Amino acid sequence: MALDAFSTATAGLRVTQAQIGVVSQNIANVGTAGYVRRTLSPVSAGVGNAGVATGTIGRALDAAALKQLRSETSGAAYTGLMAKTRTQLDTLYGRPGDSSALDGVFNSFTLSLQTLAANPTSTAARATVLSSASDLATRIGSAANGVQALRSGLESQLAADTDQASNLLAQLAKLNTRIVATSAEDPSRPDLEDQRDQALTSLSGLIDINAVTQSDGSVSVLTGSGVTLLDRSNAASLSFDARGTLSANALYSNDPSQSGVGTIVAMTPGGGKIDLLASGAIRSGSIAAAVELRDTVLPQAQRQLDDLAAGLSRAMSDRVATGTVPTDGTKGGFDIDLTGLSAGNAITLTVQDGSGTQRNLILVPSYQTPPPTIPAGATDDANATVIPFTIRRPDAVPPRTADEIRGAITAALGGGYTVSGVPGGEAGAVRILSSGGAALVAASASVTQVTSAADIKGSATQIPLFVDGASATLFTGSFDGGSQLTGFAQRIAVNPTVVGSAGSLVGITGTGTASGIGDGARPQALFTALTGTQRLFSSSSGISGINAPTRSSVADFVQGVISVQGAAAAAAQDLDEGQGIALSTAQGRFASASGVNIDQEMSNLIALQQAYAANARVLTAARDMIDTLLRI
């Protein structure tokens, strides 16, 4: 009996000592990132043996809490980058109302036109218009350059994040191999599992993942969409073909030969390749946010600035042509004056089928034969049917005729419509009627009224005040040689011809005023074109909040751009704050279940010390009994 007590007490001391060691390890690792609280599972010593054996050291892991933590980590990384970048984007436009902000510089320009209209003979007022115009062009260009700088920064971040993700996958494969080779009783195994979980959590900040534990103790890693990145010791290698500094023309395409930005390719251990972006495999984490910002959010911001620059330029040089119902009683169509039609001066026809569904036909003139193919997304309506057609230049020799334009439009529309002149109308007026096709609901166009950047003293109020780049090309929205609209915000500039002849701001031939003296008709018309005339802005700009073109004045469009970006930045910050709360909650839940509670561990330590002392007393008593028996 004394020997049994001796054996039991000795076993108890060993177990208690081991438990004290585990508790001490827990206490020593309070605050250690990724450390999961250790537990000791004593086991029976077996038949014929008294007491318990030491057992194995395990981890108090709450798998459900850990899964939620990884999910919230991915979400927080996504919303964090979104909020940060959208705030930076909003900052590019300046604080609304400030004189240096986009709207403030625009208002200064319109005010200078009003001032010149009231005092057209003032050379100082003319100089102010040119200076304000230059400031506005520079401000738009600065914001657009900032957008591309953000995109280039995200391209670099994607390269770094992809390398980090690939390294983490390789690290996880090595840890899987070591864990599988380590027995469950080995005290180093929990440390390896901690390292693996920490690597998985780090990976979840980059990519949304699911970690599946296998029967041998290894884990497999899949993206949220189901693409396998790690299968036990076999890890995919991720690569990113960074393109460096991005321009407005550098856009993503599923076709690698057409894409102007980098993509992420996973090379599987078997040699297969998966384009993770083209397949939509990554849906959360910082990588998903960077891709969305680079390929969707920031290109839309660029489009808004391009549309603004184009609207500003065309408000100075174009005439908005709106279809009117024929006054002679003819039904089924519209009369529209297309005098001066230039390449890129799109004609938008709104048609309605028998079910009442409306859609747009966009006829885009070109000087090329054959005309270039034009994607709908590059026009005002991304859902429209685009019909390019060829015309000659307005200043062609021999002179271009109105019949040429009508014939080209007839050929472009095909059957179902008739195109003719307007009886008693302007020479360039066109009558378009439905003759069996979809019913015509509306017709409009923005028609350039000047023939070149040098055409600054015509009889119309329009003037090419803003031009395209250092070459001073007239902006018409042409697609000949590529979209003139794309990147125009970076290239918009004040026409040097107008700068060299400031009197052209007020000098209109045929008005009865001497050249250089002028009147207020032109600056007043330019002011009205900016603040009162309704123009069509593209659906791709997203200003209206619906997938349809926006009709507004240039002044209202400026306010719309600032309002949309400000609201998006505020919404992103709110979402990030909410996600931060969700992440904190998940961290708290995981820490409560699997982390080290110092108070609880100290309490356990005291209890174990008392148990150790009790076992020691039993051992002492058993020893005394044996000594007594031996002396008998």
Side-chain angles (χ1 to χ4, degrees), residues 521-536:
R522 176 168 278 171
Q524 183 59 49
L526 297 180
F527 172 79
T528 301
L530 289 171
T531 61
T533 303
Q534 300 290 297
R535 309 189 66 83
L536 205 61

Side-chain angles (χ1 to χ4, degrees), residues 72-92:
E72 301 301 347
T73 298
S74 291
Y78 176 91
T79 59
L81 183 56
M82 274 287 182
K84 174 186 174 182
T85 306
R86 279 198 174 275
T87 300
Q88 291 173 328
L89 176 60
D90 184 45
T91 303
L92 294 176

Side-chain angles (χ1 to χ4, degrees), residues 253-276:
S253 171
N254 286 337
D255 182 353
S257 65
Q258 300 295 321
S259 184
V261 296
T263 191
I264 301 174
V265 175
M267 176 71 75
T268 65
K273 290 184 178 181
I274 303 174
D275 188 327
L276 297 182

Side-chain angles (χ1 to χ4, degrees), residues 363-588:
L363 285 69
V364 183
S366 167
Y367 295 147
Q368 295 182 345
T369 304
T373 300
I374 302 170
T379 67
D380 287 336
D381 186 357
N383 296 313
T385 298
V386 182
I387 308 173
F389 65 99
T390 299
I391 61 173
R392 293 197 299 145
R393 297 177 181 276
D395 55 353
V397 178
R400 189 179 72 185
T401 66
D403 285 339
E404 285 184 55
I405 300 296
R406 295 167 192 145
I409 294 175
T410 297
L413 285 174
Y417 300 93
T418 60
V419 182
S420 63
V422 177
E426 298 291 335
V430 175
R431 175 170 291 178
I432 305 175
L433 302 175
S434 174
S435 57
L440 286 171
V441 177
S444 63
S446 183
V447 184
T448 305
Q449 296 300 286
V450 293
T451 58
S452 70
D455 185 5
I456 62 174
K457 293 185 178 180
S459 60
T461 56
Q462 288 81 10
I463 183 175
L465 180 56
F466 295 99
V467 291
D468 188 347
S471 61
T473 305
L474 181 67
F475 184 86
T476 64
S478 173
F479 289 91
D480 294 352
S483 172
Q484 190 180 20
L485 175 65
T486 303
F488 182 52
Q490 280 95 332
R491 305 189 309 270
I492 187 172
V494 176
N495 189 347
T497 305
V498 177
V499 174
S501 179
S504 61
L505 291 169
V506 292
I508 303 175
T509 60
T511 61
T513 60
S515 177
I517 298 176
D519 60 25
R522 176 168 278 171
Q524 183 59 49
L526 297 180
F527 172 79
T528 301
L530 289 171
T531 61
T533 303
Q534 300 290 297
R535 309 189 66 83
L536 205 61
F537 294 93
S538 71
S539 59
S540 298
S541 67
I543 296 299
S544 63
I546 57 175
N547 193 22
T550 300
R551 190 174 294 277
S552 72
S553 68
V554 178
D556 288 341
F557 189 78
V558 172
Q559 296 300 323
V561 169
I562 294 173
S563 176
V564 164
Q565 294 299 344
Q573 290 170 356
D574 289 344
L575 184 61
D576 187 44
E577 289 177 5
Q579 184 61 40
I581 294 173
L583 177 59
S584 296
T585 302
Q587 289 171 333

